[in-house]
Amino acid sequence: MGIINNINKAFDHRVRLGIMSVLMVNEYADFKMLKELLDITDGNLASHAKALEQAGYIVVEKRFIGKKPNTRYKVTSPGRKAFKEHLSALEHLINRSE
Amino acid sequence: MGIINNINKAFDHRVRLGIMSVLMVNEYADFKMLKELLDITDGNLASHAKALEQAGYIVVEKRFIGKKPNTRYKVTSPGRKAFKEHLSALEHLINRSE
């Protein structure tokens, strides 16, 4: 049982950590908000969000605000649970490094 | 200034986190010890250790124990400093997720 086995590959990238960390404390976050908070390109955000969606950890909602299309994201309960486990695995690794 | 900007790309993979976390609390760790602790393949360990070496964060020592070749790793002081900064950036992200 390796010391990194509990680290979830689906979250194993700083952009994904960032997306999940925002969605853990916001009911929704739209594309623009995530892009600004994370300071990354559209493509980078879209590809990592897609991966989290495919893993079932976030859901994507597309709607119109007035005439403008809006994409927003929300964490799923499996996503919340898996991310908490991922964070405690990271914390465990951090604590053994100090 | 994005919330993930302080996360160091050189450490942004669970195998690299694992290697550094072992080397932060052991003066040396050899290939076999790291491989067992992290429960990963030779190739996986070698490629991530190479990347950390090229970043100047660890040094590799090759020697013989009796007739047997032995490869061991040691964290550098820039590596120790950079990894501490990385860990505090991770902790910051973890804390804002809770």
Side-chain angles (χ1 to χ4, degrees), chain B residues 21-37:
Chain B
S21 129
V22 172
L23 293 182
M24 290 292 274
V25 293
N26 292 280
E27 199 191 345
Y28 288 99
D30 68 18
F31 194 89
K32 189 166 174 287
M33 175 182 171
L34 284 172
K35 200 186 146 201
E36 277 162 13
L37 274 171

Side-chain angles (χ1 to χ4, degrees), chain A residues 21-90:
Chain A
S21 126
V22 172
L23 293 182
M24 290 292 274
V25 293
N26 293 281
E27 201 194 342
Y28 288 99
D30 67 18
F31 195 88
K32 190 165 171 286
M33 175 182 170
L34 283 171
K35 200 185 145 200
E36 277 162 15
L37 273 171
L38 302 178
D39 190 20
I40 55 176
T41 64
D42 288 24
N44 207 358
L45 174 54
S47 71
H48 286 290
K50 188 82 198 147
L52 290 169
E53 190 199 348
Q54 284 166 342
Y57 291 148
I58 67 173
V59 284
V60 188
E61 286 179 18
K62 298 198 186 238
R63 55 188 187 142
F64 279 88
I65 299 179
K67 288 191 180 129
K68 283 188 73 184
N70 178 275
T71 301
R72 65 177 186 175
Y73 301 92
K74 183 179 166 55
V75 68
T76 62
S77 41
R80 188 176 293 279
K81 182 173 175 293
F83 192 60
K84 279 186 182 164
E85 285 160 10
H86 179 73
L87 292 185
S88 60
L90 277 183

Side-chain angles (χ1 to χ4, degrees), chain B residues 22-83:
Chain B
V22 172
L23 293 182
M24 290 292 274
V25 293
N26 292 280
E27 199 191 345
Y28 288 99
D30 68 18
F31 194 89
K32 189 166 174 287
M33 175 182 171
L34 284 172
K35 200 186 146 201
E36 277 162 13
L37 274 171
L38 303 178
D39 190 19
I40 54 175
T41 64
D42 288 23
N44 207 359
L45 174 54
S47 71
H48 286 292
K50 186 84 194 144
L52 290 169
E53 189 198 349
Q54 283 166 343
Y57 291 147
I58 68 173
V59 284
V60 189
E61 288 180 16
K62 300 205 183 233
R63 53 189 188 142
F64 278 90
I65 300 180
K67 287 189 180 135
K68 285 188 71 185
N70 178 274
T71 300
R72 65 177 187 176
Y73 301 93
K74 182 179 167 56
V75 67
T76 62
S77 38
R80 189 175 295 280
K81 182 173 174 294
F83 193 61

Side-chain angles (χ1 to χ4, degrees), chain A residues 1-5 7-9 12-15 17-22 24-26 36-40 83 87 90-91 93-98, chain B residues 1-5 7-9 12-15 17-22 24-26 36-40 83 87 90-91 93-98:
Chain A
M1 185 50 188
I3 59 168
I4 56 171
N5 282 42
I7 289 187
N8 188 329
K9 287 181 189 168
D12 196 23
H13 186 287
R14 67 196 172 289
V15 169
L17 266 181
I19 292 170
M20 293 303 290
S21 126
V22 172
M24 290 292 274
V25 293
N26 293 281
E36 277 162 15
L37 273 171
L38 302 178
D39 190 20
I40 55 176
F83 192 60
L87 292 185
L90 277 183
E91 274 172 326
L93 203 64
I94 289 169
N95 295 336
R96 55 160 289 138
S97 310
E98 282 157 352
Chain B
M1 180 59 181
I3 59 168
I4 56 171
N5 282 38
I7 288 186
N8 188 328
K9 289 181 186 169
D12 196 23
H13 188 286
R14 67 198 173 288
V15 169
L17 266 181
I19 292 170
M20 292 303 289
S21 129
V22 172
M24 290 292 274
V25 293
N26 292 280
E36 277 162 13
L37 274 171
L38 303 178
D39 190 19
I40 54 175
F83 193 61
L87 293 185
L90 278 183
E91 274 172 326
L93 204 64
I94 289 169
N95 295 336
R96 57 162 284 139
S97 307
E98 280 154 357

